[in-house]
Amino acid sequence: MSRIALWRQQIAGRLGWAVADQAVSSLENFLLGVFVANVLGAEGLGALGLAFVAYSIALSCSRALATDALMIRFSGTAGDVWRTAASAATGVALLTGTAIGVICVGLGLILKAAEPGSEAGIAFLAIGIAMPALTLQDSWRCAFFAAERGARAFLVDVVWTVLFLSLLLVVHLTGNTSLMLVLIGFGATALVAAVAGMIYARTVPRVHAARSWLRAHRDLGTRFLVENVVMGAGGQIRAPVVAAAVGLAAVGAIRAAEMLIGPVAALLMGISQVSVPEAARALRKGSGPLLRLCLGISAGLASVAFAWGLVVIVIFPFGIGSMLLDGVWPDAHRLVLGVMVSSAFGCLQIGPSAGLRALGRADRTMRCQLVVSALFILLGTVGAVTGGALGAVWGTAIASAVGSAIWWWQFLRARREYFEAAGELIRPGKHFKTTGAAA
């Protein structure tokens, strides 16, 4: 077997574990949404969607400050080096989750005081309590992928999923269907999975190392924090805007439509987890391998997104949609096309994003994310105000299409600058050897 064929086989193996891991995680989130939709209805699903806005932002902050640097600078490093870095990074993730959790609890208490029995208040309160465990569990997943141990990341998520689905079954059988109980259980089972990650890694989070980690990687962390927070806000601001414009039921319909595109989201998130370390490895081989990897990731993901969206649009109306979402299905069905388009163009952004991070161009990734997120917020808000849920979905779809072009433009410019600075004219068949990814 040639070296190129062996390299491609190794990439496929690592990507396979990432997809399998995210499939398990997404199945858990999907079944949680189905459970809430059937038991608590559209408003309960809308409240869950708002809680997941906070969850998404927390993961964005945790990854920017903790695990993004780990995946770029410690990808494939020796055991002791990786273990020391992973313990510091997971300590940062735990502190980040705790800080954001406190904010969520405070927001939940304010909402409950303003409106006793508020589903949104209950959701924020519960997700805030669960947040430290959720960011800690996610950090171990990222750490194992950085170490090329995808099987262990997969096992950690399997532990979490099995425990949480067992909890949902008990909740269903006992009839205690409180959103508070379900979300706290979501965090408690994540904590058990995080402990499993510590056992596999043979180390624990070092909170006292957080300051030195943040100082050592502040060149990446600060910019990635701005980028990830803006990305989280840009992608999630639609939920509160729609809730304010037309109510929680519309938020629930959007959430349900996004759940139906769940397999695509699982694939996208799975590949995203390993795309940066894979791009860093490709960069060491030269400009051609880096470009081919980024093109392959984007094109492959976008193709799957379109194909699955057509399956949902054509086949799900024949009973599957109603079976999964009950009364929420009719409203969700009319949103699926816009969600599919938005998802496909979002997939096209994964390749150049990974390439820019591997090149160490946090300045360009931050610039891209600021512009694209501004488009998301602007077009999503205008769409929500003028057209409700449907307008919000198509507004963000247009923003996603424009955003994919921006990401590719920035990546191709940065790639040329990098290799020209290194003395390489980018030509087909020519490779540039480096000692590692640019930091």
Side-chain angles (χ1 to χ4, degrees):
M1 182 181 294
S2 68
R3 292 179 62 185
I4 293 178
L6 178 61
W7 176 58
R8 289 175 177 171
Q9 186 181 68
Q10 291 171 340
I11 290 176
R14 290 191 290 266
L15 292 179
W17 279 118
V19 172
D21 169 77
Q22 191 59 44
V24 170
S25 179
S26 295
L27 174 65
E28 178 182 28
N29 292 343
F30 176 75
L31 292 178
L32 170 59
V34 169
F35 178 85
V36 172
N38 282 273
V39 174
L40 299 176
E43 288 200 5
L45 192 58
L48 178 67
L50 292 177
F52 267 62
V53 170
Y55 178 31
S56 174
I57 292 173
L59 290 188
S60 296
C61 293
S62 175
R63 290 173 181 176
L65 296 174
T67 53
D68 278 353
L70 180 68
M71 298 185 81
I72 292 172
R73 291 178 169 165
F74 296 89
S75 177
T77 53
D80 289 341
V81 174
W82 170 82
R83 198 170 288 112
T84 300
S87 64
T90 53
V92 173
L94 180 59
L95 286 177
T96 303
T98 301
I100 296 177
V102 169
I103 295 171
C104 289
V105 168
L107 180 58
L109 291 173
I110 292 171
L111 290 174
K112 282 178 64 65
E115 183 184 346
S118 165
E119 290 283 1
I122 292 171
F124 276 113
L125 183 60
I127 204 71
I129 295 170
M131 199 68 79
L134 295 173
T135 55
L136 181 61
Q137 190 276 339
D138 180 76
S139 68
W140 281 117
R141 172 198 291 168
C142 295
F144 285 128
F145 279 117
E148 301 180 13
R149 300 176 185 175
R152 293 192 175 183
F154 175 75
L155 287 174
V156 168
D157 267 341
V158 166
V159 169
W160 184 19
T161 300
V162 170
L163 288 174
F164 183 63
L165 295 184
S166 299
L167 175 66
L168 284 184
L169 178 60
V170 171
V171 167
H172 175 69
L173 293 175
T174 58
N176 189 357
T177 54
S178 162
L179 183 60
M180 169 76 80
L181 176 62
V182 169
L183 285 177
I184 290 179
F186 188 60
T189 49
L191 180 59
V192 176
V195 172
M198 298 175 209
I199 294 172
Y200 291 144
R202 300 198 305 276
T203 189
V204 297
R206 290 188 300 139
V207 174
H208 64 276
R211 178 177 294 181
S212 60
W213 177 269
L214 293 171
R215 186 185 304 116
H217 304 288
R218 64 177 177 270
D219 59 322
L220 296 180
T222 302
R223 283 173 168 160
F224 284 159
L225 178 62
V226 173
E227 176 192 338
N228 287 2
V229 169
V230 169
M231 178 177 66
Q236 302 293 340
I237 195 70
R238 181 180 60 190
V241 169
V242 173
V246 289
L248 273 179
V251 178
I254 295 175
R255 175 71 181 166
E258 291 172 340
M259 285 165 50
L260 295 175
I261 308 295
V264 174
L267 183 64
L268 189 151
M269 293 301 296
I271 298 299
S272 296
Q273 289 179 115
V274 294
S275 61
V276 174
E278 289 301 332
R281 296 183 189 101
L283 176 62
R284 299 176 193 135
K285 298 180 180 296
S287 61
L290 176 64
L291 179 60
R292 287 194 293 272
L293 177 73
C294 294
L295 282 171
I297 288 173
S298 288
L301 288 173
S303 299
V304 173
F306 273 115
W308 178 252
L310 291 176
V311 169
V312 174
I313 291 170
V314 174
I315 296 177
F316 275 44
F318 296 97
I320 299 176
S322 297
M323 180 183 68
L324 291 174
L325 299 176
D326 197 24
V328 184
W329 162 247
D331 289 333
H333 182 228
R334 68 191 187 96
L335 305 177
V336 168
L337 179 60
V339 172
M340 177 192 73
V341 172
S342 182
S343 176
F345 279 109
C347 288
L348 289 177
Q349 299 173 24
I350 300 301
S353 173
L356 282 170
R357 287 180 180 242
L359 290 167
R361 296 304 303 268
D363 57 333
R364 286 191 181 272
T365 61
M366 183 175 69
R367 192 181 309 154
C368 285
Q369 202 58 66
L370 286 170
V371 174
V372 174
S373 294
L375 286 173
F376 264 78
I377 294 172
L378 175 62
L379 297 181
T381 300
V382 170
V385 172
T386 59
L390 186 62
V393 164
W394 279 105
T396 52
I398 295 170
S400 185
V402 176
S404 65
I406 293 172
W407 275 104
W408 274 103
W409 177 53
Q410 290 290 338
F411 166 61
L412 292 174
R413 287 186 61 188
R415 169 177 165 268
R416 177 171 292 278
E417 289 170 3
Y418 180 91
F419 286 103
E420 285 182 346
E424 179 193 14
L425 292 176
I426 302 176
R427 295 192 297 267
K430 185 168 183 178
H431 301 286
F432 175 73
K433 303 297 183 184
T434 68
T435 57

